[in-house]
Amino acid sequence: MNRQDIEISDLRRITELVKEQYRYDFTNYAMSSFRRRILRIMELYKFGSADLLIKRLKDDKSFFDEFIAEITVNVTEMFRDPPFWRELRDNVIPNILLNHNTISIWHAGCSSGEEVFSMAVLLKEMGILDKAKIIATDIDKVILEKAKKGHYSMKNMELNEKNYIRFEGKNNFKDYFKEENGKAVMDKSLIQNVSFREHDLVQGVVFNKFDLILCRNVMIYFNQNLQNEVLKKHHESLFKYGYLVIGSKESLIWCEIANKFIVVNNEEKIYKKIKD
């Protein structure tokens, strides 16, 4: 099969099947990104046609889990964009704690957990890890299990450590993990206050209120209609004067609830909810 050779009608059949049989809705995914990922799956699993992929999706529930993992694959690292993490530590979190002695945080689309561990390290170094209640969600069960385990490849730890140094962390980054069989095993005590849950940002309900929501580089795969829906749910899930963080290529400006937020840091895409 030619690498570029998949019809829009085939993509529609795939999204309809997935929506009907598995209740995952990709109809509003950015088409070019979705198409690229479908082609990648066809190459990986050597499906010669869209029909073969559709048949496998119909007949094999366990394949569907692999399919989701491929479609929603996220490349992630610890302390990604170090200036952002400094801004959280120096301004955003102290601001939240002016009026509260606890903090509730939602990592929406937490992927394999690097962001969650970064947050835990930051909170520990601020001396407030025990005051934080953290919920980390993702649509992909397989990746959530990986996040809970906190086992990462040692070669990724070099980049993570560089980021940590640029973040100006207080300790030696190596104190937060042990090396076992060529894997970096994160210190489990960091995530004892973290609840990992399967949750679909698109179809899932509003389930809690938070002081801080991180949803970074998740919505780049969604079209505007879908981004709008997700951002409305985020707005509803924040306490008044709570903070929302999105990815560097994402924006709130155009969406329906834009006037309910003010920009706290345009560079780092940090917004504060000012109206219910």
Side-chain angles (χ1 to χ4, degrees):
M1 168 159 190
N2 173 333
R3 176 130 174 70
Q4 296 310 319
D5 180 18
I6 186 161
E7 301 291 323
I8 293 285
S9 57
D10 290 329
L11 293 173
R12 283 215 186 92
R13 284 162 61 213
I14 292 165
T15 50
E16 275 161 23
L17 166 70
V18 165
K19 190 176 177 180
E20 208 170 287
Q21 193 164 324
Y22 297 103
R23 301 206 309 280
Y24 281 75
D25 191 354
F26 290 112
T27 27
N28 279 320
Y29 254 52
M31 191 49 90
S32 56
S33 168
F34 188 67
R35 184 162 175 268
R36 246 194 340 269
R37 289 177 182 216
I38 291 291
L39 285 165
R40 188 162 168 263
I41 289 169
M42 294 180 69
E43 217 173 288
L44 269 174
Y45 291 90
K46 305 202 169 24
F47 292 123
S49 70
D51 288 340
L52 290 169
L53 169 59
I54 288 166
K55 183 174 176 0
R56 182 80 184 271
L57 278 170
K58 261 191 186 138
D59 300 344
D60 184 353
K61 166 73 179 92
S62 65
F63 171 69
F64 178 71
D65 292 338
E66 294 171 37
F67 173 85
I68 283 288
E70 285 302 329
I71 292 289
T72 59
V73 67
N74 281 320
V75 182
T76 177
E77 56 200 53
M78 289 183 203
F79 293 100
R80 181 181 190 169
D81 309 319
F84 158 72
W85 291 95
R86 287 202 300 271
E87 181 68 18
L88 270 193
R89 175 190 59 201
D90 300 343
N91 297 312
V92 173
I93 291 172
N95 239 313
I96 292 168
L97 292 170
L98 281 176
N99 307 316
H100 311 281
N101 50 10
T102 60
I103 179 170
S104 57
I105 300 168
W106 177 19
H107 294 272
C110 69
S111 189
S112 43
E114 283 89 342
E115 182 183 84
V116 181
F117 278 102
S118 306
M119 180 66 81
V121 166
L122 177 153
L123 294 168
K124 188 180 170 84
E125 293 187 359
M126 288 180 79
I128 56 170
L129 184 56
D130 56 340
K131 294 180 177 159
K133 187 175 187 311
I134 300 172
I135 293 180
T137 65
D138 205 276
I139 190 174
D140 176 357
K141 280 200 286 273
V142 180
I143 208 110
L144 272 176
E145 283 309 312
K146 195 175 169 188
K148 274 186 214 171
K149 269 205 182 99
H151 292 188
Y152 300 107
S153 129
M154 276 307 292
K155 71 173 192 297
N156 294 358
M157 292 318 258
E158 279 174 45
L159 174 60
N160 294 339
E161 183 169 19
K162 278 189 184 132
N163 287 345
Y164 175 78
I165 290 165
R166 282 179 53 217
F167 153 70
E168 296 163 9
K170 285 183 185 172
N171 299 331
N172 183 343
F173 185 64
K174 291 187 172 71
D175 294 342
Y176 293 113
F177 65 90
K178 294 198 296 282
E179 189 177 345
E180 284 175 22
N181 310 323
K183 286 264 186 216
V185 177
M186 297 302 293
D187 177 352
K188 270 286 192 291
S189 71
L190 288 167
I191 55 167
Q192 62 193 16
N193 291 348
V194 179
S195 162
F196 289 94
R197 298 184 192 172
E198 198 183 336
H199 179 262
D200 179 345
L201 284 178
V202 180
Q203 295 190 315
V205 294
V206 170
F207 59 88
N208 217 329
K209 284 272 195 192
F210 298 93
D211 299 305
L212 173 61
I213 296 175
L214 293 89
C215 187
R216 299 172 79 212
N217 309 307
V218 178
M219 292 182 295
I220 40 177
Y221 306 118
F222 301 165
N223 69 15
Q224 285 209 332
N225 177 19
L226 197 48
Q227 288 184 30
N228 202 32
E229 290 309 307
V230 171
L231 288 165
K232 280 199 294 201
K233 284 182 192 168
H234 286 342
H235 171 265
E236 216 180 310
S237 304
L238 276 171
F239 288 116
K240 196 172 181 186
Y241 308 122
Y243 292 82
L244 172 64
V245 184
I246 57 177
S248 57
K249 295 186 183 69
E250 297 163 340
S251 169
L252 273 195
I253 292 162
W254 54 270
C255 77
E256 272 175 50
I257 44 115
N259 64 339
K260 298 182 173 184
F261 285 87
I262 53 169
V263 179
V264 173
N265 186 317
N266 197 33
E267 188 70 16
E268 306 304 339
K269 292 295 194 315
I270 301 171
Y271 301 87
K272 186 176 193 172
K273 173 174 168 174
I274 51 159
K275 288 186 203 147
D276 279 323

